[in-house]
Amino acid sequence: MMDCNRKLTFVEEADVETQVFDWGRLSWLSEPRVTRAERFSAGLVSLECGKGHDRHSHPGVEEILYVTEGRGMQMVEVDGGRIEREIGPGVLIHIPPDVYHSTVNTGDGPMRLLAIYAPPGPEAELRAMAGVTIEPPSRQAR
């Protein structure tokens, strides 16, 4: 369990819990519980081959996804239309608040992304979802 009284400044993946789903893993490197961030959260997402996030939205929350590894298909519904595009390393996706979107790994290996929410909140909702398993940090934060 995370020590809510301790604020981390330098954070590595091994320092934080990992949320494990049937589609992949999430490690929140910055959220109110870790860095005491008030305006955003940031985490590393790993999507398994052929898996991803189905169409969903985050009410009142803006999102940025940045692909660091792998290939996938990104869908974003903006301006009354639906945009679908193949994405890979170096691509940033901006998702305005309340906008429906989905991300699916179409490559032969894991797809890794940096996800940022502003304001924070969806990471706590994910933690409470049915079917999630929480892995504790693999080491004591320094």
Side-chain angles (χ1 to χ4, degrees):
M1 174 174 268
M2 192 73 205
D3 178 356
C4 294
N5 296 317
R6 185 158 180 222
K7 174 197 174 297
L8 299 180
T9 299
F10 297 95
V11 186
E12 296 178 43
E13 210 168 348
D15 301 331
V16 297
E17 71 181 25
T18 300
Q19 299 169 350
V20 182
F21 299 87
D22 62 352
W23 47 260
R25 306 166 64 82
L26 281 161
S27 299
W28 294 101
L29 302 176
S30 181
E31 62 166 316
R33 293 167 26 122
V34 175
T35 59
R36 294 192 192 146
E38 297 176 7
R39 294 183 178 91
F40 68 92
S41 59
L44 297 174
V45 180
S46 182
L47 300 177
E48 300 297 326
C49 295
K51 306 260 179 141
H53 303 137
D54 292 331
R55 181 182 179 270
H56 66 286
S57 70
H58 306 288
V61 178
E62 196 166 10
E63 182 175 7
I64 287 178
L65 295 172
Y66 182 76
V67 183
T68 61
E69 181 182 331
R71 304 215 65 78
M73 195 60 130
Q74 181 69 49
M75 184 280 295
V76 182
E77 294 177 10
V78 290
D79 301 327
R82 180 183 178 114
I83 302 169
E84 289 188 83
R85 178 178 161 183
E86 186 175 339
I87 56 174
V91 175
L92 181 140
I93 303 98
H94 173 255
I95 303 159
D98 310 309
V99 166
Y100 282 91
H101 57 285
S102 65
T103 310
V104 177
N105 178 350
T106 58
D108 346 356
M111 182 179 185
R112 301 225 348 135
L113 307 102
L114 173 66
I116 300 170
Y117 293 134
E123 71 287 341
E125 293 170 15
L126 288 164
R127 184 178 292 113
M129 284 179 68
V132 66
T133 302
I134 304 294
E135 291 179 356
S138 60
R139 71 167 184 220
Q140 183 66 34
R142 302 180 253 176

